[in-house]
Amino acid sequence: MEGLLLMLQLYFVASHRNVNVPQPSAPPPLRHKHSPQAAIKPLIDEFLDANSPLRHLFFPDIKSAIHPANGSHYYRPGHIWLDTQGNPIQAHGGGVLYDETSHTYYWYGEYRQVGVIGVGCYSSKDLWTWQNQGIVLSAQQINNETHKSNMLERPKVIYNDKTGKYVMWMHVDDVHYRKAAVGIAISDRPTGPFQYLGSRRPHGFDSRDMTIFKDDNGVAYIIYSSKMNTELHIGPLTEDYLDVKPNMRRILVGQRREAPAVFKYQGTYYMITSACTGWAPNEAKVDAAESIMGPWETIGDPCIGGKEMFRLTTFLSQSTFVLPLLGLPGSYIFMADRWNPAELNDSRYVWLPLAIGGPSLESNSSGSQSPWPRVSIHWHKKWRLPLS
Ligand code: DGJ
């Protein structure tokens, strides 16, 4: 029923903007109880259609951009987000580092002109106003490694307290995603330039979507999709963060998950992932573990609020990072990408509040109530941080 309502609502909005939309001839099949993917197919088809008359609903135009000059501090998921110079922020598939030395946040991500031209870096004191610090690692450096069509995705940076270096890990690949490796780069400063140290297949396995996570005790881990995205692998990095240690665990085996984003609360580890559907959005899932090396247990879909179809598509986005809010234990920003496959450089950011608490609504595999607290990502058309 909700599927039909959404289609009607989309039709209503579009027709009141003088857009010519064919009226649905028959209600969509109500099969979503058994197959969420079937229920959301009409929405995904519209989303992926670059000529859809509903496109402005998924990718609102520049008139509604988030502009630091207006000082409102409102996040508007899916809207164009401008930096302090008035240019759209280019930090896709990114992550945020809080630098304790400068008390500044640094947002790193794919700087795209459709293809990735490097890793973009933006700095902020308030997580809303972002100043462009330039391209801190150029794709050219990676291109030199093999051939021109190399790809660079999902860069993440952590600080090594022992060596005093900022260390970046990223997914590097060829245009067919057959190289399936990680790249590593290093810098003395958060704003780079980063020196590319080369690529490798961690533990000898293919590696595509990935992230790194620095634990409270300074031990860092890599988590990557492997074995053709059928499972994730997790393992500690060496003390200098420049390589992996030999020990590795296979997790979420056979589940076909990607886009991992890891965080920790009161000694428990959480990981949000997506299914593997290319640039098309799908349903998010959270797993939890008492030890980061596993076992990991599924909690369920964290998305709440808004229409069911938006929840079933992670609000038309895909996880990339979960940022802890300093001074607000249990509160996080869920960072995700609303990919625009027709124009990847015009992909949008979906930042939403994430909270932990209360019993999970899901049952675990044995049918009993899950012992883990609920992880909730709340939909908001616009929202702001409590202290901003
Ligand atoms: C989904 C991944 O999460 C993205 O980073 C990107 O690799 C696309 N697939 C490519 O289709």
Side-chain angles (χ1 to χ4, degrees), residues 3 10 20 31 43 58 80 138 171 194 220 225 232 234 254 266 290 293 297 310 315 320 324 327 330 353 357 360 374:
L10 293 178
N20 192 12
R31 282 177 294 166
L43 181 73
F58 309 129
I80 293 172
S138 76
H171 170 196
F194 280 78
S225 298
L232 293 180
I234 185 164
Q266 292 186 339
E290 271 164 19
M293 295 294 277
E297 191 180 322
F310 288 105
F315 312 116
T320 184
S360 170
R374 184 172 173 77

Side-chain angles (χ1 to χ4, degrees), residues 192-212:
F194 280 78
Q195 181 197 351
Y196 189 59
L197 301 179
S199 70
R200 68 204 60 172
R201 282 190 156 195
H203 314 109
F205 285 96
D206 61 296
S207 158
R208 293 185 175 84
D209 279 10
M210 48 71 60
T211 195
I212 47 176

Side-chain angles (χ1 to χ4, degrees), residues 93 110 112 151 153-154 171 177 208-209 258-259 274-279 318-319 339:
E110 301 156 19
R112 288 185 168 274
M151 314 254 281
E153 292 184 352
R154 298 182 176 270
H171 170 196
Y177 289 101
R208 293 185 175 84
D209 279 10
E258 64 179 7
S274 75
C276 299
T277 53
W279 300 112
Q318 184 184 33
S319 45
W339 298 113

Side-chain angles (χ1 to χ4, degrees), residues 10 13-15 17-22 46 49-58:
L10 293 178
V13 175
S15 58
R17 289 173 185 247
N18 295 326
V19 181
N20 192 12
V21 188
E46 289 294 342
D49 178 2
N51 299 315
S52 166
L54 305 181
R55 200 143 178 83
H56 60 280
L57 296 176
F58 309 129

Side-chain angles (χ1 to χ4, degrees), residues 173-237:
D173 225 315
D174 59 67
V175 75
H176 303 294
Y177 289 101
R178 286 194 203 117
K179 182 180 169 83
V182 287
I184 301 131
I186 192 168
S187 174
D188 291 329
R189 285 172 296 279
T191 48
F194 280 78
Q195 181 197 351
Y196 189 59
L197 301 179
S199 70
R200 68 204 60 172
R201 282 190 156 195
H203 314 109
F205 285 96
D206 61 296
S207 158
R208 293 185 175 84
D209 279 10
M210 48 71 60
T211 195
I212 47 176
F213 174 76
K214 181 179 170 184
D215 209 343
D216 311 324
N217 59 4
V219 179
Y221 297 82
I222 182 169
I223 302 100
Y224 57 93
S225 298
S226 194
K227 293 204 165 181
M228 300 304 286
N229 287 347
T230 56
E231 60 191 42
L232 293 180
H233 291 176
I234 185 164
L237 303 184

Side-chain angles (χ1 to χ4, degrees), residues 59 84 110 137 167-168 200 204 219 253 255 257 272 363 373:
F59 298 99
T84 51
E110 301 156 19
L137 176 74
V167 183
M168 180 187 295
R200 68 204 60 172
V219 179
V253 175
Q255 295 189 29
R257 308 298 296 177
I272 299 181
S363 296

Side-chain angles (χ1 to χ4, degrees), residues 30-187:
L30 302 174
R31 282 177 294 166
H32 59 294
K33 280 229 157 39
H34 304 293
S35 167
Q37 287 308 320
I40 58 179
K41 193 168 178 309
L43 181 73
I44 301 292
D45 287 348
E46 289 294 342
F47 180 85
L48 295 177
D49 178 2
N51 299 315
S52 166
L54 305 181
R55 200 143 178 83
H56 60 280
L57 296 176
F58 309 129
F59 298 99
D61 68 16
I62 187 81
K63 287 193 264 316
S64 66
I66 308 170
H67 201 309
N70 76 23
S72 74
H73 285 254
Y74 275 111
Y75 296 102
R76 289 176 176 270
H79 288 239
I80 293 172
W81 194 346
L82 303 176
D83 65 16
T84 51
Q85 291 169 312
N87 298 313
I89 293 173
Q90 287 291 329
H92 311 285
V96 171
L97 165 79
Y98 178 68
D99 183 46
E100 290 180 7
T101 315
S102 57
H103 304 287
T104 303
Y105 295 95
Y106 292 94
W107 180 5
Y108 302 90
E110 301 156 19
Y111 197 108
R112 288 185 168 274
Q113 284 175 353
V114 180
V116 182
I117 61 169
V119 177
C121 172
Y122 295 80
S123 62
S124 176
K125 294 274 187 190
D126 62 5
L127 290 172
W128 189 77
T129 311
W130 293 94
Q131 185 176 354
N132 188 357
Q133 297 291 343
I135 292 176
V136 294
L137 176 74
S138 76
Q140 193 59 44
Q141 281 176 263
I142 295 163
N143 286 344
N144 290 339
E145 212 185 28
T146 48
H147 62 86
K148 267 201 148 190
S149 54
N150 271 6
M151 314 254 281
L152 184 177
E153 292 184 352
R154 298 182 176 270
K156 304 286 179 296
V157 175
I158 51 177
Y159 178 68
N160 189 304
D161 306 273
K162 290 191 180 135
T163 62
K165 304 281 185 191
Y166 296 83
V167 183
M168 180 187 295
W169 284 65
M170 69 213 95
H171 170 196
V172 293
D173 225 315
D174 59 67
V175 75
H176 303 294
Y177 289 101
R178 286 194 203 117
K179 182 180 169 83
V182 287
I184 301 131
I186 192 168
S187 174

